Every structure is written in structure tokens, then in C-alpha cells.
Amino acid sequence: MSARRTGWVWHELYGWHDTGRAAGYVLGAPGVQPFGHFESAESKTRFASLVEVSGLREELTELRPRAAAEEDLLRVHTEEHLRSMQEQSRRREGGDMGDGTSPFGWNGYEVAALAAGGTIRAVRAVLDGTVDNAYALVRPPGHHAVAERGMGFCMFANVAVAIEHARAHYGLRRFAVVDWDVHHGNGTESIFLDDPDVLTISLHQDGNFPADTGAIDERGRGDALGTVVNVPLPPGSGNGAYLAAFEQVVVPAISAFEPELILVACGFDACNADPLATMMVTSSTYRTMTEGLVALAERLCEGRLVMSHEGGYSPIYVPFCGLAVVEALSGHDTGIDDPFEPDWIGWPGQDVQPHQQAVIDSARALLDPSRAR
Amino acid sequence: MSARRTGWVWHELYGWHDTGRAAGYVLGAPGVQPFGHFESAESKTRFASLVEVSGLREELTELRPRAAAEEDLLRVHTEEHLRSMQEQSRRREGGDMGDGTSPFGWNGYEVAALAAGGTIRAVRAVLDGTVDNAYALVRPPGHHAVAERGMGFCMFANVAVAIEHARAHYGLRRFAVVDWDVHHGNGTESIFLDDPDVLTISLHQDGNFPADTGAIDERGRGDALGTVVNVPLPPGSGNGAYLAAFEQVVVPAISAFEPELILVACGFDACNADPLATMMVTSSTYRTMTEGLVALAERLCEGRLVMSHEGGYSPIYVPFCGLAVVEALSGHDTGIDDPFEPDWIGWPGQDVQPHQQAVIDSARALLDPSRAR
Amino acid sequence: MSARRTGWVWHELYGWHDTGRAAGYVLGAPGVQPFGHFESAESKTRFASLVEVSGLREELTELRPRAAAEEDLLRVHTEEHLRSMQEQSRRREGGDMGDGTSPFGWNGYEVAALAAGGTIRAVRAVLDGTVDNAYALVRPPGHHAVAERGMGFCMFANVAVAIEHARAHYGLRRFAVVDWDVHHGNGTESIFLDDPDVLTISLHQDGNFPADTGAIDERGRGDALGTVVNVPLPPGSGNGAYLAAFEQVVVPAISAFEPELILVACGFDACNADPLATMMVTSSTYRTMTEGLVALAERLCEGRLVMSHEGGYSPIYVPFCGLAVVEALSGHDTGIDDPFEPDWIGWPGQDVQPHQQAVIDSARALLDPSRAR
Amino acid sequence: MSARRTGWVWHELYGWHDTGRAAGYVLGAPGVQPFGHFESAESKTRFASLVEVSGLREELTELRPRAAAEEDLLRVHTEEHLRSMQEQSRRREGGDMGDGTSPFGWNGYEVAALAAGGTIRAVRAVLDGTVDNAYALVRPPGHHAVAERGMGFCMFANVAVAIEHARAHYGLRRFAVVDWDVHHGNGTESIFLDDPDVLTISLHQDGNFPADTGAIDERGRGDALGTVVNVPLPPGSGNGAYLAAFEQVVVPAISAFEPELILVACGFDACNADPLATMMVTSSTYRTMTEGLVALAERLCEGRLVMSHEGGYSPIYVPFCGLAVVEALSGHDTGIDDPFEPDWIGWPGQDVQPHQQAVIDSARALLDPSRAR
Ligand SMILES: [Zn+2]
Ligand SMILES: [Zn+2]
Ligand SMILES: [Zn+2]
Ligand SMILES: [Zn+2]
């Protein structure tokens, strides 16, 4: 594996985003003893910490994020949403992003603007040629946020904001987004639903969250028909299902689309240890998919590949999934082995199962080669 | 639902069992930042807390546990295991139960003896007629411990120890154990593998843990052939699969066996939010299975039913699963709703799926009516 | 030591009071990374846990608390304060007790009403003769709350509410309150400032909190002149200073006053490990002061003595201070030694120092024997 | 204030040092519910986080630490101690530094070697002229470790190791160490007790820890008489006492000694919120003392000033003390105010008290001008 210049976005402020004392995501209901929100800082801070302790950080190019400008956010979001977030962010007790399960504390707007800005920073560095590819370890996540409001622990649509920034400042036109967070990338999809120049592909657990989006027959609208690809995998899907979906749907879809930049909404909540989903992916699958995208990007778009961190609620396992991805992006091997994978990789059902392959086949059948330029 | 007298075992010392600073279950390995063990106190202390805050505790009969005597433990375990645990328990830094992933701190032996003793206490109260049935919320769990050593976070085989106590002190002969912890109840199974008078039934995720036990063709040995029943469910199994397995395997197996006492190795790690498994069970299924066992026990053995707490690693969701079970045992309705179930119960795959039903069918086919008296 | 019947109030709901994610007591300010509030559940839950694990709980009489009625609260507090707390308590995100540093979560009113109710329960049990004395381990604390609002992490004035309940329901007239929380008992003092029948004595760190109350020359008003006693000890005061203040001020003041019931606002934040004060008290001093009050109560008022838990922000040391007090109240010796005291008791300055004695002398000089009946 | 080039040492591995589940510092004793060690990562990681979030990190020169070589450690420590630490560090469960209250986990040796190495790194950068001065935020601390063993949460004597490194590699001869950690710098003192070229000054709480060192009449031995200066302040000392001790003892002692490099054993446990001491220092005093040392270093030794982090056990307040120090070192003002200081700075006793001044006077009287070159 030859080494690449890989950008790395992380900022301590991401760890200061305060999701409060919900039990998981429920606050203020009978029988609910206060605890901590699933979307806590720990999975991210521990990922960042492992990147340093492993020595990998020294092989990466540190990219300092700045807050996204209002102008950046307003390319995607409504002014009403923006002002509401700003206003609530000035309250000592903070507010909610829009759905009652997505709390944030004082100054939460600034953190979220820095998350969008971190994704922008990664995109800029890749487009400027400062680095070959980049990982933006940002928080809060973004892929559930829609134009008018936040939801699912996401305030702003980080990836979508970065895409529109690239359009406005770099003149890029065609983008492909791969979303392997276990939840449906409904926000990104909805923002580009009518946009024939942005391909959004989401691999997710069928019907997990949101309950009513992510169906296989959501394919984009009008001119953009075919630029939305959903692979709603059944619960219990593991490495085999993800690799099959990747090879049989993601790769051909992107190849046919010929994007100028590939972005990944990189959640690790399809991993085996996540409390908010029922999948069994282990780190080597994230590594393999990343390697596949690196190769694809090299073939299609001069290697331009940017990942923006989304969900992943295991403080214990996310660091190892993340390390595998950043190793694959950069081509550096830290020599640190995932200590959990040997226990989990042999579980029955890790191979692709017939009922999983059936979904993948359906998704593949819907790929529309006419969308290619 | 008419109210029953239900015994309740809990002791603050269970919360003092110290599993240290492993990341999940890995301690002392490259890249592993210290964190907390999956088997922490919180899922249990929060379950106990909800039982009080909901008002349910006032409807229960508090049973004060005492430490199991050495004599009790030695009916099931080797003296070598016992002495090793006692010796390590006297060290300030504690020791390990036997497999390198099951740490305990100073005084851990005393906690584990109280866990076995708590299960004994519940059994005694039921057999004495003090209560109709009982829930022993104990820690550490027991169902993975084998005669010669602990494993899988279990030091002593709490349920097996209680069974042998009942034999020695009450002259009972026939016992049925239902283990719905998501992991295979290998310890209980191995202890009674040759015993035709103890039926052990385990519903579990196929091959999760231990990797090499729990196959459907483990059926007991010699005279005891047919007294071991395993239902190794595929990953992604949900409410439908569990209810089908319960109705189609558990109920007929126990009915045919005609036990004098039914015990449940009650883990909640098949629940939707567990980090150590890939199932989707919600609280109402635990409630329904409990109601089924209450009815079965009333029909078969004067209502004698004892549950002993096993795994379950979601501090957030275990309390609601536990509340449902204790409500069902006691027949009291606290009026507190599980706030998560509405979000999770509609997930695709909650109904029994063909590949799940196939496993259940195979297990049912192996039930041996000749084992009945 | 002969054993007494001692009542014990504790309820799991006290641990559910949600003080959120302030850093200490500051939330929502530049540079403040979210953390946890000083007034967290842990010092109290761990005290309760030690009372059980030590075996002491089995020697106590469990008193089940009920929420204080509005009528009880309104004897002391304004209706405006009560309604404000109730209204904020219905919000999912909770509110603040009145000073911006005292947050509470959803349902916080119910917890605070249970804290006042727990103190009432303890008083009732003593006055009913069910027990000889009692400890109410309640949360949130009460001694800073004034009639019109909460402050200093206190919503309602638990001790004052219990006193007025005793007056209304039992016809008692004269009460003595000893407040050895390290902060000034401003709330209790202010509520009874004009009441000649309630003696309030506060030992506290001079000027710690509140900044502007607790001076030695606050002595009560009008007819009540002399019924307020403040001993504002200098920072660095230790066992010697507290014992001297107790013997030379508290005992003679109460003796002269001849109360019908002695109450203690029992905070443990004068202890050596507290982050919110600068004193050095160790557990044996709390034990000795308690023994002194037991004797005093036996001499003056048939042993009637009720303690209500106030501050104390060391989750590590509060349990041992608390155990010492409850051992002394009940006359039972658990045999568990405070493992910290040997390290701390020999610190230079533990003996009463001249500048500390000077304050005590001044306070003693102000005691007014004419207040006795 | 003109800006200086200030070096900054921090490494994520410092946060991985595992001090386990002691309650404070007591593990494995009756009545002790497992909790967390006082010397946890949080006060340090939050200090590092604030340095980034405040924007200050961008004004500093990041110095990447490397592990101290065995050769470095062996200049100060015995081979037996080194081998013992290495051996215990290879155990999965870790070991203890030497006194039974100083646990460390697997790989703890490597973290401690990186802490010593981080202090070396800071010294090298200053001596190389890369930076003007430097702050090494390292963990575990060092000032209690003696040649033959660790103690007081310290494995290796970080500052002493860095001094001997400077001697061996840079030929420097004369060093002054100011230790304002609230505990006596017994390790540094003992290592240089006979060394006339190292001046060690310790401001500490009299008799806090260790119990039997740090007396005012410990002054160095033989040729080195007068090169040890102890100011054992009484409990309750605040800003006034520290500033008086600094101006009246530290400044004249260093001025007279004429060191080539000034080092600070920079603990923040004399701060008002520390659980392990009884002092009342607030951040502005740390700032003022740092400014004083910057000026002193400029006057005496070309500005050469290196701070190495020692104790400080308030995760809440240490970050603000640390920020003040690093602002003062670098001459940059982040504009972030300490939100606690307004509440604490007016506490009675913050001014120097007569009994505190008496100690300072005694220490000053012992300063030996003949020690100057
Ligand atoms: Zn997700
Ligand atoms: Zn399990
Ligand atoms: Zn207080
Ligand atoms: Zn210290």
C-alpha cells in the first residue's frame, strides 16, 4: 500500500457539544432515570485519541477547521432554521435541533457550525490539492438534518453544506455521496432529491431511523430520477452483506455516475457493538470499503475522497473502526490490531444471507446506467 | 390480572462488584484506551431503582439475600475453582474468573457468593410458600460458569447452585431452566448434561458466545438425552422469533417435562439496544414470555417460578425490560410505559422470518416427548 | 453504647434529581466544557449503599417517605415559588430553583417535594414514638432555600417545612436546629428570624456561601433576638475547631433553649475532601457531635433528634461521614473503619487554633441565657 | 504584555494512564465501594481541551514528546525501580508505583516514560532556543517519586530527570525548581538533597503529604545546605499567603541562587476546589506567580522557564488555573474569564493571615545569601 497524503480534521470543541442527560434519547418521561445521551462525545474523542496514540496522526496532515459561514449554511438550510438554532444556542440551557430527541447546550450552534466547517475544510484541502483525501471527524453529525430543521442528533447537513461550498467556490458540479451510517441518510437525500448532479447512496438498516424513509423505491425526482440509491438491509446484516452491497451497488453506481468528488457520510453504527442498530459489521469491512473507494476515486476523480463522521454509538468499538478507515485512506499501517474482530468475525450470519442478497439484487436492478454522463 | 405475591431479591453489594476499566471486555492490549467493562453495575442498579421509583417495590416481598455457603457452591463447583476465587478475592487488585475477560475486584468472591445466595433465597421463598414466585436481581451473572471455572463474566452458576440447594434441602427432583439471555447458557447446560431431571432450554444468538456451544444438536447425554434444548436463533431475530420459539419450543418442552420448579436465566441482552448481541427484542416480548411462564407454572407446578438475572448490557433499556417482567410476575401494573418500544416495535424484521422459523422448526422437531414422566 | 431505634429515610427517586451538565455549578459560559454538577447523586447514593452493605440498614427502621403536600410547603414558602417550581418541573428540560446555579430536570418538583416529605416523615416517626431518632437522607438539600425562592442547590427548606408540619400536626412549639453544613444555613435562619421559638445555630466557613449572610452579629430580630447563632469559622478549620464550637456554643445554646425537638441540617461539606469548602473535618468529629446531640436530646427532649441531609460533595468521603453519624444515632457499630481518617487526622491544624478559638469565644459571648424559658 | 514563543507538550497517551477504580486512593478495603481515583485523566484532558478551544493552542509551539530513554531515567532512579515498573507494566492488570495508593495499568511504564520525556522535551526546546519557555502537561506527575520507588501517584521524578538530561546533554549546571503543588515536593528535594547546584523550593500545605517531610528546617545537606527551601503553609491559606510566600521567599531565593534554568513543579491542588488539600488559591494567583517567574527568568537566565504539570484534582477548576498560567507564559490573552474566581476571591482569609505570615517570615529568615555564586 503506497502512502497518500490524508487530511485530518478534529477539534476539541466537537467534544464540548452537550447532549445532556437523556436516557439514550428520552428525557423527561415517567420512569426515565437521567443518564447520558447515546450521542455523547466519547466515541469521537476516543477515536481521535487512538489516532494520536497509534502514531497515525503524525502521518496525517492536520487541517484546522473554522466555523462554516452563515452563507455556507444558508445554501442548504432555511434562514428560519439557522436563526432558531442561533437563538436557542444563546440560552444557558440550550435547546433542541428539531425533533425532541436531539438536544444541544449553550453554544451548540458554534459547535455545529464548526462541524459543517470541518467538512468544508476537508473538501477544500482535497480540492486545493493540499492532501489527496481527508477524514473530518466532526460532531454533531449531519446526515439526518433537512433543509428546514435538524433531527436525529444532526443540526446541519454537513456533507450537503460542503458540497454546495465546493460548487460555489470551486465550480465542481457532480458529486457522489456514500452513506454507510446504519441509519438512512434522509437529510442528504432530501436536499438533493431533485438534483441530477448529486448521487446519494445509502446503505442502512431497513426502517430503523427514520421510520418512513430510505425505501428502495426512493430514486430521486424528475431529472434526478436514478440519483438516489437506497439499500435497506435487513436486521442482522454483517460483513458479507455490506461488502456485497458495496461491490454490487455502490461501486457500479458511482462508476456509472462519474463524480468529480466522492464523499462518505461515515457512520460506524452498523458495527457489531452499536446500541442503536442491529448489524454486525467489523472493522475490516470498513477498511475494505474504504480501500474500494480510494481505488474508485483514483480511477474516477483523481483520488478525491472526503469522509465526514456521522453516527456510531459504541465508545468501545468506534475507535477501531475509525482507525481502520484512516489507515486505509492514508495507506499507513499502525500495526494495531482490532482486538474484538477475532471474536466477532466468525459469527454465523457474517456471510451474506439469501434474504440480504435479495435486497441487494433489487437495488442493483434499479441502478440506472442512463444517469451516467 | 390478579395480583400474586412476588419475591424481590436485590442487595447494594451487587453494585459493588468491580469489573474494572476494560474497554468492553478487553484490558491491556495495544490501542485499547481504558474505559469501562460492558458488565458494569448500571443496568442492574437502574433496574432496581426503577422498581422502587415506579412504586412496584412496595407491591413485592423483599427477600434479603445471604451469601451462599461453601457447601452450596461445592455441590456444583470444584473446590479448586472455589479456592482460586477466594484467594484472588483477597488481593487488593482482585483477579479474573477464568477466561481473561471476566475481572473482579477485592471481595469479588463475597459478591458472587451473595449472587448465588440471592438465587437460593428466591428459590427458598417460593418453596417455603412465602411468595408465589420471585425475581432475583443478582450480580455477577451465572449461566456461563462451568463446574471448574468461571467465564463470560460469571463466577458461579447461580441457577445450578440454587437447583442443587433445592434438591438438598427441599427434596425437589425435577427442574426446568429457561435461559433467554442472548448468549448460550453453556454453564447450566454442561452442569446438567447427564442429569435426566433437569431440563435446560436456551434461546440464544447462534454462535455469539461461547463460539462453540449451543448447537441445536446438543441434546443431553445418556439418560439425559432430550433434556437439553437449544434454539440458536440467527442474528437480527426480533419479537416474532422469540415469541415463536417460546410458544413452539419452550412451552411444549416444559409441559412435557413436568418440572416441579421452573427457573429462568433472565438476561436482557437480546434486547434491541444491547451492544453485545444483534437481536431486536422489546419489553413487551419479555412481558409476554413471563406471562406464559406464570401460566405454565400455575398449570404444572403450583406457580413455582424463579428468575435469576443474567446478562443485559444496556443501562438505558434493561430497566424497562426488567420492569415488564416483574410486573408480569406480580400482576401489578405500574402504569409506566416503555418509552422506546413505540420506536422499535415496528422495525422491519420484528415478525418471525422464514430463516428464523426454520431454526425453530428444527428445534421443535427434536423435542422428545418420551422425556416426560 | 446501647442501641436505639433509629429511623432511616431514603428513596431511589432522590438519586433521579437531575442537576445536568454544569461544570461544578457553571453552565453555559465561555471556556466551560460541560461536565457534571457538584450536587450530583453520587455522594448520597453511595452513602445509602454503604448503609446497606455495612449491614447497618438492617438495624434501622425503614421509613418510607411521601411527597410533602402543597399545604406543607406553603407553610414556609410563597405560592409564587411553589407554582414556579411546579411549572418548570413540567418542562422536559427542567428549570432552575432561583439563582441560576441550581438546575433541576423534569419532575424535579416531585423529587424536592419528596425530600421535604422525607424530612417530615422522619419527624413524624420520632414524634409518634415509632423510633427514637431518625436520619433523612434526602435530596435536593434545603437549608439555603428561602421563603420566596430556592438557591444554593436547594428548592424547598426541608427542615423548616418539617418544623412547621410538627407544629401544625403535633402541637410542638420549640425547636432547635443545628446546621453543620459548611455553608451558612441562611434559609432556615431567614424563615425563623422573627420566631422566638426556633433556635437556629449554624457552624460554617465564614463568607463561603452565601457571601453576605452568616455573620456573627446576626442574632435574630425583635422577640427572637438571641435565637439565631452563627459561628463563622475561618478557612482551614478542622476537628478541633468544630468540636470546640460544638461544646462551647452548640451545647450551651441548646441546653439553655430547652427545645422539644432537635433537628440537624446535616451537611458533610466541612469534610476534608470537599471541593466546595476549605475545612478539614473527619468522620470521627461528625460521630462525636452526633453522640453529643443524642445525649443532649435525651437530657432535654426525650431523645427526639432528627437529621436531614444537606450538602457534601465528595462521593468518596461522604459515605464514611454518614456512616459514622448513623452509627452514633443508632448505637450500632458496623465495625467498618473510615480508611481515610488515619491519613488526615494528624494534619497540622486539626487542633483548634487561636484565631479559630477567637471566633468561637465571640459566638459564645453572644449566647443569651435570657432566651431560655 | 509582549508575546513570547511558548512550547506546549501534551499527548493523548497521558490520558490513557489507568489509575483504576479506587475510591479516591483506597482500593480493596471494607466499606469502600469502587469509584475512581483522584488522579484521573479528566483534570488534564480538560485543561488540554480548554487550551485548544480557547484558541491559545494556535499561539503555542507544539512540542511532540518522546519517551524518556532508560538512560535518562537511570540518571535519577535505581535500576531496580525501573525494572519493577517495566515488569508490572507488562501485566494486563498493571501494578503499583510503590506505596499502595498509586496504581497503574498495562503499559503504564510507557506513559510514565512519556511524561518524563515530555518534560525533557520542554527543557530541550527551551535550551535549543526553539521556544522561550514551555509548559509540559504530562501525566503521571513526578514530584513525589524518589530514586528507589514511586509514591503519591508519581512513578518517575519528571523534573529531576529533565534536569539531569540538561546536565548530560547541554552542560547546564545550576537549576532552580519551584514546586507550588500543594503537597511537598519530597522526591525532587530528596534527589538533590546533597546537590549544591539545584535549588528546590516547595510551597505546600504543612504535613498534608507526605506526612513527615517538608518541614521548614529541611535545608539541604553538607555543601548543599541552604539549597532546600520549604514553606509549609497552614491549612486555609489563600491567595495572599501564596503571593507573600512567592514574593518574600521564592523570588529572593532564586535571585540569590542565579540559576541557568528555572523549572516549576506546577500542581494546581492548592486551588480552592481541590479535594486533596485545604487551600483557597484562585487562578489569578497562579497567573501572577507565573508572570513573576517569567520576569525573574528574563532577568536571571535569558527567560529560560519550564513548567511540568504535577497534581491538581479538580476536573472543574484545573483548566482555568492552567489557562491562566499558559496565558502568562506566552503573553497571549484569550479573553476567557475564570467564571469561578469572582465567587471565591472575596472569601475571608484570602489575604495573608498573621499565622501564615509567621511561617513565611521563618522561611525567609532561613534563606542563605551565601548560597549565591
Ligand atoms: Zn446513524
Ligand atoms: Zn448474555
Ligand atoms: Zn453546603
Ligand atoms: Zn499534589
Side-chain angles (χ1 to χ4, degrees), chain A residues 310-355:
Chain A
E310 299 285 354
Y313 306 102
S314 171
I316 288 161
Y317 198 49
V318 163
F320 290 99
C321 296
L323 189 72
V325 163
V326 184
E327 283 188 354
L329 280 178
S330 66
H332 287 282
D333 177 5
T334 64
I336 289 180
D337 292 324
D338 172 355
F340 297 97
E341 189 162 69
D343 293 341
W344 297 342
I345 205 164
W347 280 10
Q350 284 288 19
D351 291 337
V352 62
Q353 304 293 307
H355 66 294

Side-chain angles (χ1 to χ4, degrees), chain A residues 271-343:
Chain A
C271 87
N272 195 53
D274 200 89
L276 278 177
T278 317
M279 303 308 219
M280 308 198 300
V281 174
T282 58
S283 64
S284 63
T285 290
Y286 291 113
R287 181 189 305 274
T288 302
M289 293 194 297
T290 303
E291 287 168 352
L293 288 179
V294 166
L296 199 60
E298 282 175 358
R299 184 155 60 81
L300 296 175
C301 50
E302 302 165 51
R304 291 166 172 169
L305 176 62
V306 171
M307 299 203 175
S308 182
H309 197 80
E310 299 285 354
Y313 306 102
S314 171
I316 288 161
Y317 198 49
V318 163
F320 290 99
C321 296
L323 189 72
V325 163
V326 184
E327 283 188 354
L329 280 178
S330 66
H332 287 282
D333 177 5
T334 64
I336 289 180
D337 292 324
D338 172 355
F340 297 97
E341 189 162 69
D343 293 341

